[in-house]
Amino acid sequence: MRETGASLLYLIFSTIVSVYIFQIQAQAATVAPVIKQLSSILKWTARSSTKSPLSDGNILQFENGYLVETVVEGNNQLGVVPYSIRVSHDGELFAVDSVNSNIVRITPPLSQYSRARLIAGSFRGYTGHVDGKPNNARFDHPKGVTMDDKGNVYVADTSNLAIRKIGEAGVTTIAGGKSSVAGYRDGPSEDAQFSTDFDEIYVRPTCSLLVVDRGNAAIPQISLDQEDCDFHDSSVSSTDLVLVISAILIGYLVCILQQGYGSSYFTKDKEESDTIRSNKEKLTKSQTVETVREEQ
């Protein structure tokens, strides 16, 4: 029984340490590959015009098991012309309609019956730089979209040279847009400048937006409010899993210990009770025999 308890305690300790180490390594290794990959894309974009194409022929190796199937055809089915699509943490599709300058939301799976719901902008294709209520907001041929854990939507409004936010307060501008001339400048939101070719992506571990500024061959970073990156309230983290697994293992261990020591305790107590009862019966019989002898 002691060996079983020791084995279970070792299993609990090993599980907690392993998950904790995995969580630290995952957080440390998440940002570096993203930045490295984006840097490679920028280098390739900047140098691709100076390199001559290779003279060797193409070598293709197709992998079996994949099928291409059109689920939406034409512009009339969805009602929009998606330029870029991103998937939110809850599985919803957010699309940028650069032609009509609006942001829409689509619930998968896509089919001929799918319809886009307007998030901000106008279905009529009105352009401009207008913040405020989502229905009254105006964009100018945006080309990028991303979402944080709280559900805020960030738009790369390229022709307005700005990063826009769609949140509880409506549509706001968080970076760029003050100048109508493209440039390259860091600083406060109203002083920042971008090129006419940029996109953005949300990075959870650093609670920030990375702006892929292709025109300037740079990656500026915009820090976000920590409340917008607090994903522990709406999802299960590895820490929660550790606590649940530990509670289950500890409860199982306590149950086994109680069954083992409890059964031995009750068995011992029963044996003692039987011994006392037997002794009492023997004593009673001896006293009865003695009483009969005296009467005779």
Side-chain angles (χ1 to χ4, degrees), residues 81-97:
V81 185
Y83 181 89
S84 176
I85 295 179
R86 291 282 171 84
V87 184
S88 65
H89 67 278
D90 57 355
E92 291 290 299
L93 303 179
F94 286 81
V96 174
D97 185 353

Side-chain angles (χ1 to χ4, degrees), residues 34-35 38-39 42 163 175-176 183-187 192-195 197-203 206 208-223:
V34 173
I35 297 179
L38 293 175
S39 300
L42 289 173
I163 304 292
Y184 178 38
R185 179 185 297 176
D186 293 338
Q193 286 185 307
F194 308 103
S195 69
D197 184 12
F198 65 91
D199 202 346
E200 60 186 356
I201 186 171
Y202 168 65
V203 182
T206 58
S208 63
L209 294 180
L210 288 182
V211 181
V212 186
D213 195 341
R214 303 182 186 91
N216 289 319
I219 305 179
Q221 177 176 282
I222 303 175
S223 299

